[in-house]
Amino acid sequence: MPTKSEEYFEKASSCMPGGVNSPVRAFKSVKGSPPFILSAKGACMTDVDGRQYTDYVASWGPLILGHAHDAVVAAVQEKVTRGLSFGACHPDEIRLANLIRENMPHIELLRLVNSGTEATMSALRLARAATGRDGVIKFQGCYHGHADSFLIAAGSGALTFGTPSSPGVTAGAAKDTLLASYNDLSSVEKCFAENDGKIACLIVEPVAGNMGVIPPAEGFLKGLRDLCDKHGALLIFDEVITGFRLGLGGASEYFGVKPDLTALGKIIGGGMPVGAFGGRADLMRMMSPEGSVYQAGTLSGNPLACAAGIATIETLMKEDPYERIAALAEKLAEGTLANLKEAGIKATGNRVESMGTIFFGVDSVGNFADAMKSDTELYARYHAAMLGEGVYLAPSQFEASFVSTAHDDEIIEQTLAAQRRALKKL
Ligand code: KE4
């Protein structure tokens, strides 16, 4: 007898490619079909079959306060009867922009957009305009959204030039993107040396979250800053995940490295569609209508999205939960590794504050090549077994898990107990 989720997935697959609006949700790299979620509150999601899950995906990061946080819901409810969108200026845009600037003072000016993809693609366009150069350096395994310039795989062998990683991305778009290796400054120096004077910017996830979590090696981010300065390129931090995740000041404050431009998303919208890009005023003032670099958006700065983002950031500033959720994440990671060792499963874990990844089948993961050695088949079986025990994990080995303020010691203990039951079924 199919579950209601399976029936929904069949219907979804008849009207949307893969049955989803974002590929990873289709559970292609893990087993089974995705639960269809009906509601969520705190750390818990409930699917259409009434099954409840402790959630560690947090809608891929935005829900640092958990699902349907009272303050966030109230903020949106308070606004919604006064209009959903104006397509005009409104006071809350200023409030959200200033909350971001107050916590990340290196962002002197910013523009609100609707997604992380828009944020990174706009920052890239601005960097190219500001430098008059076309080249961009990115890292294998880092994801910056689906703009053409970022859907680039490593070129063959010694070539630093990228090749399209998706059909539809043209060779023209790919030719300006160079691939370096995360945590390997010599690979970045090579890109610069082979293309001196042609690199507009380097974009990096200051903590990699899209090949699983990989922290920057000691000196790596500072090294990127120095190389960009040496070669007249701009440094872009893609803080779509790390912004307000590592702390109120994001990765820039956490690691003490100041980028020229920053892309934000996820948490700054509190679960509603918000992205932002910003940084040095001299650069941002090049954006239309003050300058000539064009970027626009019908729903940019949407009043409901701003309300959710404002309530989220204000709550984070009031509660400063970072130490507590990091401690919960450490408890989860330590307990997980102990459970896996007890089950005789080789695994390692990377964690920065409340974001982390358990890599299966490997001893350590410090870069993309290490991550790619993970046992994704074992992860898929683990994922299915955990889902069966009511724990909702990212449906891919190469994603981050997140702990929110809605998690607590009891929930972590329950998760570890569920894990011990799940591991017996592998
Ligand atoms: P969006 O366009 O999905 O809002 O943001 C793109 C993006 C940019 N930069 C980083 C570092 C990101 O992690 C993302 C999006 N993250 C993925 C999950 N790792 C979103 C989930 C999905 O694609 O469905």
Side-chain angles (χ1 to χ4, degrees), residues 90-112 244 248 264 268 276 306 309-310 313-314 317:
H90 67 92
D92 277 354
E93 295 171 291
I94 305 166
R95 178 77 185 127
L96 181 53
N98 283 334
L99 279 170
I100 292 168
R101 293 170 68 234
E102 184 183 330
N103 289 290
M104 301 180 179
H106 57 287
I107 298 179
E108 296 169 340
L109 287 181
L110 65 92
R111 168 140 316 154
L112 298 173
F244 292 98
L248 291 171
L264 295 167
I268 66 167
C306 284
I310 290 164
I313 296 174
E314 287 182 336
M317 292 172 74

Side-chain angles (χ1 to χ4, degrees), residues 21-25 59-60 114-118 120 142-146 205 207 209-210 238-242 263 265-266 274 398-400:
N21 287 307
S22 199
V24 70
R25 301 179 196 170
S59 182
W60 305 98
N114 301 281
S115 69
T117 292
E118 278 190 78
T120 56
C142 283
Y143 177 69
H144 305 292
H146 62 86
E205 291 180 61
V207 174
N210 286 285
D238 177 347
E239 292 224 43
V240 169
I241 290 181
T242 57
K266 297 185 192 276
V274 180
F398 305 115
E399 292 288 355

